[in-house]
Amino acid sequence: GENVEQHPSTLSVQEGDSAVIKCTYSDSASNYFPWYKQELGKRPQLIIDIRSNVGEKKDQRIAVTLNKTAKHFSLHITETQPEDSAVYFCAANYIPTFGRGTSLIVHP
Amino acid sequence: DAGITQSPRYKITETGRQVTLMCHQTWSHSYMFWYRQDLGHGLRLIYYSAAADITDKGEVPDGYVVSRSKTENFPLTLESATRSQTSVYFCASSPDRNTEAFFGQGTRLTVV
């Protein structure tokens, strides 16, 4: 089955800085890579996703890049704001297999 | 209300008891999933279903049973609860393969 590794487990940045979270996956057949944000006490919600026929996708301050050859994908958040503080999960495969999560803390 | 809902939101049960967590979605999504969330482990898949009457094991199925007699419902049963099953359980659904999963509010289960 699929195996997803996510790093770092914790990321602390100052407001306005950029944040990057990286994931690797094992199954070369995977072709859907979503990212979810989970605020404290809430349910995970999709923030952006990418499919294997695309190398990069942007939505305002967030972007995701995918390198299928190396089997890794990354989430980039620019101009971070305190409301970006949350746990972020990457996933791969049509039956979502999740990484262990990254706790992002944005200091005002 | 439209969406995906879980019940109960909170549950305390004793070791050895059977407990069922309910999940209901109003979208007629084909796929439904059960995950457990534990600190340091992220979201781990327990069982999933691709359609009514079709279920399959995920990463951590031991001690759990599921059924899906109707498209909209996907109950999760702990046959004989153990303390290691104390966790937050999330149900999710998606309309098709390789599409967004929509999560329920979660059920916090404590086994004492």
Side-chain angles (χ1 to χ4, degrees), chain B residues 39-86:
Chain B
L39 199 62
H41 290 279
L43 293 154
R44 291 184 291 175
L45 183 66
I46 305 170
Y47 271 95
Y48 69 97
S49 169
D53 297 322
I54 300 175
T55 62
D56 210 344
K57 295 179 180 179
E59 180 187 355
V60 289
D62 293 345
Y64 302 96
V65 174
V66 294
S67 62
R68 195 163 176 211
S69 57
K70 293 184 177 181
T71 299
E72 60 266 31
N73 296 323
F74 191 40
L76 176 75
T77 297
L78 287 68
E79 295 183 295
S80 178
T82 66
R83 289 196 180 89
S84 65
Q85 292 177 311
T86 292

Side-chain angles (χ1 to χ4, degrees), chain B residues 87-102:
Chain B
S87 186
V88 178
Y89 291 84
F90 282 100
C91 177
S93 71
S94 65
D96 204 348
R97 298 163 62 114
N98 299 322
T99 56
E100 176 182 359
F102 295 86

